[in-house]
């Protein structure tokens, strides 16, 4: 399992606001989870992603995977994290000392998806 936290990398973040469309987000996360279960023969997986206003240090999301072998569980958890970071329909806004700004996608998050283009 992995639990992510709201990071304040610059030391000026007061809060992060996460927005989503519930039906769209749930459908996208379910599809990503179903793909993980099929690709790594998981016995189960769980994805929780919070939304609303969160303070630095608060838990923002969690993935948990269960499989007969740990390599499959770990690979599937990494897959889920990579897809959550770049494909799950969430919009993040940072509120800090310098004002408010939307969080843009990062090249390294997009690049991380390329390793999943092949089968495990």
């Amino acid at each position: 399992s992995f639990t992510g936290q709201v990071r304040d990398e610059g030391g000026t973040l007061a809060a992060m606001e996460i927005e989503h469309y519930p039906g769209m987000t749930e459908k996208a996360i379910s599809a990503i989870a179903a793909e993980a279960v099929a690709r790594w023969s998981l016995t189960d997986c769980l994805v929780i992603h919070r939304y609303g206003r969160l303070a630095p240090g608060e838990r923002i999301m969690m993935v948990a995977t269960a499989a007969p072998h740990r390599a499959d569980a770990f690979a599937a958890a990494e897959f889920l994290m990579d897809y959550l970071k770049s494909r799950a329909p969430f919009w993040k806004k940072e509120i800090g000392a310098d004002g408010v700004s939307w969080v843009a996608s990062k090249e390294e998050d997009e690049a991380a998806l390329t390793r999943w283009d092949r089968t495990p």
Side-chain angles (χ1 to χ4, degrees):
S1 68
F2 175 79
T3 302
Q5 296 179 317
V6 176
R7 293 187 307 257
D8 182 9
E9 294 174 346
T12 61
L13 185 69
M16 178 179 281
E17 287 186 3
I18 302 172
E19 298 180 8
H20 75 300
Y21 294 112
M24 177 193 295
T25 304
E26 292 162 1
K27 184 177 178 180
I29 291 174
S30 291
I32 293 166
E35 184 174 346
V37 168
R39 284 180 75 163
W40 284 277
S41 299
L42 300 180
T43 54
D44 206 355
C45 75
L46 175 67
V47 177
I48 298 171
H49 201 296
R50 296 179 64 197
Y51 55 89
R53 189 177 179 104
L54 301 170
E58 283 192 82
R59 287 170 278 187
I60 190 171
M61 56 72 53
M62 190 217 37
V63 297
T65 55
H69 302 284
R70 69 176 177 252
D72 286 346
F74 291 152
E78 285 189 78
F79 168 84
L80 288 165
M81 284 303 308
D82 287 345
Y83 272 84
L84 282 173
K85 287 212 51 128
S86 48
R87 292 294 183 265
F90 289 101
W91 297 271
K92 299 173 183 175
K93 185 172 26 175
E94 291 182 338
I95 302 158
D98 298 333
V100 175
S101 62
W102 290 99
V103 176
S105 63
K106 296 179 181 175
E107 276 188 45
E108 59 266 21
D109 292 337
E110 290 296 318
L113 294 177
T114 61
R115 70 180 173 146
W116 305 114
D117 290 341
R118 60 191 183 284
T119 56

